[in-house]
Amino acid sequence: MTIINIENLSVFLFGIVIGSFLNVCIGRIPLGESVVHPPSHCPKCKTQIPYYYNIPLLSYVWLGAKCGNCQQGISPRYFLVELLAGLIALALHARFGFSYTFVVSFIFAAALIVISFIDLDVRIVPDVISLPGIIVGLFFSIIGYFVFADAFQIIPTPLSSLIGILVGGGFLLVTAWIYEKITGVDGMGGGDIKLLAMIGAFLGWPSIPVTLFIASVLGSVIGVGLMVATGAGRRLALPFAPFLCSGALIYLFYGEALIRFYLPPS
Ligand SMILES: [Zn+2]
């Protein structure tokens, strides 16, 4: 089977179109604006973007990273998010095929993309995604348990999802409390706690320690790298949500293997 075929092309196109919508969410959710109305407009000059300038990936390249109307620069984030959504759709399809697991994990990944880029942008983990995300994750696990069997053992049982919500929310709550008591600094935001509860809802409780571990390693490596590169001090505060989201995504692909490695069935 070749990599470039109609099926993969369709999945990639589907991914970048959704990515285009995710860009709208990333731009508008922090402002409290509707994500469906009005139609896409230039963030600088507010002109409505005609459909021929609103083609995912291509328009950005074709217009030279500038608005077709006011010629002001457009953030590379638009291109990056579309590409990322396309690639993640491809990777999930390669891993899970067209299955219930694919649908659930793509919705989950899309939420992680929006949360990560909003946190990078404005340092907020939006409650309007993480809180409904907790309910939706639990709901998908119930549907998975009673209706669609998950052949990949990624979607947790409702019980594991429920424990995941409690462990994800509870663990960080306790850590944040201890950290604050010791250092007097408000370390981990409440938004990260709700995000980890959402991750627990979608992936089950075993995902929590794995996600936290990967996020801490990534965060330390990139944090130290940035401190060295920029000369910033120890107080360099990185948004943590993108690391938690990366950890959850890695778990989505390799979690089953990791769990089987550490917790062999007795
Ligand atoms: Zn413009």
Side-chain angles (χ1 to χ4, degrees):
M1 197 178 85
T2 50
I3 300 223
I4 298 173
N5 56 36
I6 291 293
E7 193 170 312
N8 282 347
L9 205 62
S10 316
V11 169
F12 183 69
L13 286 179
F14 164 77
I16 60 176
V17 168
I18 298 294
S20 182
F21 172 69
L22 300 184
N23 270 317
V24 174
C25 296
I26 293 164
R28 294 187 190 179
I29 285 174
L31 304 173
E33 295 175 359
S34 160
V35 296
V36 284
H37 186 83
S40 293
H41 47 264
C42 166
K44 303 267 169 62
C45 69
K46 311 292 179 205
T47 312
Q48 189 176 323
I49 300 171
Y51 69 91
Y52 50 86
Y53 281 166
N54 206 6
I55 302 161
L57 295 182
L58 295 181
S59 293
Y60 186 83
V61 176
W62 180 31
L63 293 169
K66 287 195 293 276
C67 166
N69 178 56
C70 67
Q71 305 298 321
Q72 292 193 78
I74 300 282
S75 160
R77 187 198 81 207
Y78 288 87
F79 185 85
L80 201 68
V81 166
E82 284 162 1
L83 184 64
L84 196 62
L87 292 178
I88 288 177
L90 263 185
L92 289 174
H93 174 255
R95 175 86 167 78
F96 302 125
F98 285 119
S99 62
Y100 180 63
T101 314
F102 171 78
V103 175
V104 173
S105 55
F106 186 71
I107 291 171
F108 178 55
L112 295 181
I113 292 176
V114 173
I115 288 174
S116 295
F117 281 88
I118 287 180
D119 195 25
L120 283 171
D121 220 16
V122 293
R123 297 296 177 95
I124 286 170
V125 177
D127 282 354
V128 288
I129 297 194
S130 60
L131 291 182
I134 295 172
I135 306 296
V136 170
L138 180 62
F139 175 76
F140 279 139
S141 78
I142 293 169
I143 299 295
Y145 192 71
F146 290 107
V147 185
F148 301 103
D150 166 32
F152 305 96
Q153 298 181 328
I154 285 298
I155 297 172
T157 62
L159 182 63
S160 177
S161 173
L162 207 57
I163 299 174
I165 295 169
L166 298 176
V167 172
F171 181 85
L172 280 191
L173 212 60
V174 171
T175 314
W177 182 78
I178 294 172
Y179 184 83
E180 208 184 309
K181 284 288 162 222
I182 293 174
T183 63
V185 182
D186 199 5
M188 196 127 40
D192 294 326
I193 294 169
K194 291 169 223 164
L195 169 59
L196 203 63
M198 176 186 124
I199 292 170
F202 268 90
L203 299 177
W205 71 264
S207 70
I208 300 298
V210 180
T211 299
L212 267 175
F213 176 74
I214 299 172
S216 314
V217 171
L218 284 178
S220 313
V221 169
I222 293 177
V224 168
L226 280 176
M227 275 180 220
V228 171
T230 61
R234 277 181 57 225
R235 279 297 168 84
L236 175 85
L238 283 179
F240 196 50
F243 297 113
L244 285 174
C245 292
S246 307
L249 266 186
I250 292 171
Y251 182 88
L252 195 53
F253 284 98
Y254 301 108
E256 198 202 349
L258 280 167
I259 296 291
R260 213 186 299 133
F261 185 76
Y262 285 105
L263 300 171
S266 47

